[in-house]
Amino acid sequence: MRRRSPAVRFLPALLLPALLLLFTAACATGPSLEHQGAVTAPPGDSKHLTIGSAGFTESDLLAQMYALLLEQAGYSTRILSVTNREIYEPALESGQIDVVPEYAATFADWLKAKADGADAEPAGSPDLDTTMKALRALAAPRGLTVLPPGRAVDQNAFAVAATYAAKHRLKTLGDLGRSGLPVRLAAGDECVKRPYCEPGLKRVYGIDITAVDPKGVGTTQAKQAVQNGQDQMVLTTTTDATLDDFGLVLLADDKHLQNADYLVPVVNRARAGGSGVRDALGKLNTVLTTADLARMNEQVDSWRRLPEDVARTYLEAKGLVPKG
């Protein structure tokens, strides 16, 4: 097992309470968004960067890959895991965190709600270009730069049993809607109200959702319910690497119900907005796919490998960092 490079390190857990207080203070005392005005200063290029992780497997993997790529480009890095976006996003604005992996549509909606209130109309959309335009417009006044998205996307998805799909000749959600089959859906209890879930499946695809079984999003219990025929479909994500274990297959979102949650690096412009960071992280965009990310998630969650080892092995295999 390889050791993590000395330049890539996690902050000690004992520092987290002090840092969280620092983040809160920075939010309370910093200039309000309304008084920041136009961003005119040149983008910064600090050689010592803090990378934020949201604390779940996929975010940890992305943070590790960001750190290794930045180290290869001459930066020193440290990784800080902060699970609450309400904390790490203000820290990103204030420069306590310099880089975070984010999801385009989700982050656009979050920034829109932060600016206009919880009842604001969503800013994300199924179209990536539209979503990126909205996201960048919301991020720029906060001193944030959204770097180009890659090929990988982690968005909501729906899976059925492979035997069920084969019996009814289903490859897409459109096929399921046209089939007229009654569908009991395993999902979170919020599915009955969320536009991407039960209402959207009915409105966009005409799927006959007879009930929502509140077993959670992509949980083992939910997937087992579809496996044994108690339910016919489960809400999960496009990077769920365990579907084969339950004999499940994804149905394609052929009418684009789901928003464009492509992976995007978001940086503090004053500290990490220069071409060095952009070029280093851009190398990942050329290789990382949704399937790659699902396989890496599986290695951490099912095989119990460390995120830093999985990240390094992947980047070495793609020739983005030297073997060692």
Side-chain angles (χ1 to χ4, degrees):
M1 185 177 295
R2 298 180 180 89
R3 296 180 61 191
R4 190 188 304 118
S5 167
V8 183
R9 59 192 185 277
F10 286 96
L11 290 181
L14 290 176
L15 291 181
L16 280 174
L19 279 169
L20 297 185
L21 287 173
L22 180 60
F23 296 163
T24 303
C27 292
T29 61
S32 68
L33 178 62
E34 290 77 15
H35 294 92
Q36 286 179 357
V39 178
T40 57
D45 190 29
S46 172
K47 295 302 180 183
H48 306 281
L49 300 175
T50 297
I51 301 166
S53 165
F56 57 92
T57 295
E58 189 166 287
S59 190
D60 289 344
L61 283 164
L62 290 163
Q64 290 289 344
M65 287 190 282
Y66 286 7
L68 289 165
L69 290 168
L70 289 167
E71 179 190 351
Q72 181 67 17
Y75 297 87
S76 67
T77 64
R78 59 183 179 179
I79 295 174
L80 176 63
S81 182
V82 182
T83 58
N84 192 322
R85 186 180 274 118
E86 282 77 8
I87 294 175
Y88 75 67
E89 190 279 330
L92 183 63
E93 288 188 33
S94 67
Q96 306 299 325
I97 291 176
D98 304 304
V99 185
V100 294
E102 264 293 357
Y103 300 88
T106 296
F107 197 47
D109 288 348
W110 195 87
L111 290 178
K112 182 70 179 299
K114 184 176 180 179
D116 297 340
D119 295 330
E121 286 293 318
S125 84
D127 180 72
L128 178 58
D129 290 341
T130 301
T131 297
M132 289 298 296
K133 182 178 180 180
L135 174 55
R136 285 174 167 148
L138 290 161
R142 298 185 179 276
L144 306 179
T145 296
V146 183
L147 302 186
R151 299 158 60 192
V153 57
D154 186 355
Q155 61 193 28
N156 294 304
F158 296 90
V160 299
T163 52
Y164 180 85
K167 178 181 178 180
H168 298 289
R169 298 183 178 181
L170 306 176
K171 293 185 177 180
T172 70
L173 290 170
D175 292 339
L176 182 57
R178 287 186 291 272
S179 75
L181 292 165
V183 174
R184 182 177 164 92
L185 174 63
D189 55 9
E190 72 280 2
C191 177
V192 296
K193 295 182 179 179
R194 294 287 174 86
Y196 67 80
C197 204
E198 180 184 357
L201 291 172
K202 290 180 174 179
R203 175 178 55 82
V204 175
Y205 287 106
I207 297 174
D208 180 16
I209 305 294
T210 60
V212 172
D213 187 5
K215 286 184 164 60
V217 179
T219 63
T220 296
Q221 184 184 23
K223 284 179 276 196
Q224 286 174 337
V226 176
Q227 182 183 38
N228 64 29
Q230 177 184 346
D231 298 331
Q232 287 72 52
M233 189 162 68
V234 59
L235 170 62
T236 183
T237 67
T238 53
T239 58
D240 186 336
T242 66
L243 295 178
D244 285 346
D245 298 339
F246 297 90
L248 307 182
V249 294
L250 292 178
L251 295 182
D253 182 18
D254 51 318
K255 294 184 180 179
H256 306 292
L257 171 63
Q258 304 303 322
N259 282 344
D261 257 334
Y262 283 75
L263 296 172
V264 289
V266 182
V267 304
N268 178 286
R269 185 180 186 277
R271 289 184 47 81
S275 60
V277 171
R278 179 186 295 267
D279 292 346
L281 298 184
K283 294 178 180 179
L284 193 60
N285 289 350
T286 64
V287 298
L288 183 65
T289 66
T290 303
D292 290 344
L293 201 51
R295 283 190 289 268
M296 285 191 280
N297 285 335
E298 181 183 28
Q299 291 176 47
V300 175
D301 291 336
S302 298
W303 304 359
R304 302 304 181 191
R305 294 189 63 196
L306 294 175
E308 54 263 45
D309 293 331
V310 175
R312 178 176 284 278
T313 299
Y314 178 79
L315 294 181
E316 287 177 352
K318 296 298 183 180
L320 297 183
V321 299
K323 295 182 178 181

